[in-house]
């Protein structure tokens, strides 16, 4: 146990040392308003150079990703159907589907699924 803790502590110290050296040696950059703005041959830009990002689209994408990962929980249940009792299998599937439906209802109730233009 002591060997494991000392090895973990040694790894932690090496990581901290490397991070400290990287921050000391790294190139320092100073950014100002002129360097961050768009450059159009010395003239002021005619439009905003950064495209607006839809936060609602990002939220829908994250919700899709979460529910997509939860759907993958059903694949092991398909394989375990042969080895389990029908009542246990039915209760497990009912439990997982109810969690998914409660999550969708919560997102719908919060208004995260409404597309507004």
């Amino acid at each position: 146990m002591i060997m494991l803790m000392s090895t973990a502590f040694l790894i932690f110290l090496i990581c901290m040392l490397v991070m400290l050296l990287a921050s000391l040696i790294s190139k320092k950059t100073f950014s100002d308003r002129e360097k961050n703005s768009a450059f159009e041959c010395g003239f002021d830009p005619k439009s905003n150079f950064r495209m607006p990002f839809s936060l609602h689209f990002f939220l829908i994408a994250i919700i899709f990703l979460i529910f997509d990962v939860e759907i993958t929980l059903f694949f092991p249940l398909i394989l375990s159907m042969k080895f389990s009792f029908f009542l246990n299998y039915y209760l497990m599937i009912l439990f997982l589907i109810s969690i998914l439906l409660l999550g969708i209802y919560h997102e719908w109730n919060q208004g995260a699924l409404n597309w507004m233009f």
Side-chain angles (χ1 to χ4, degrees), residues 24 51 59 86-87 97:
L24 291 175
M51 294 180 62
L59 181 64
F86 180 72
L87 183 61
I97 289 176

Side-chain angles (χ1 to χ4, degrees), residues 44-55:
D44 289 332
K46 293 183 180 180
S47 64
N48 191 2
F49 64 97
R50 292 193 175 131
M51 294 180 62
F53 182 75
S54 173
L55 188 61

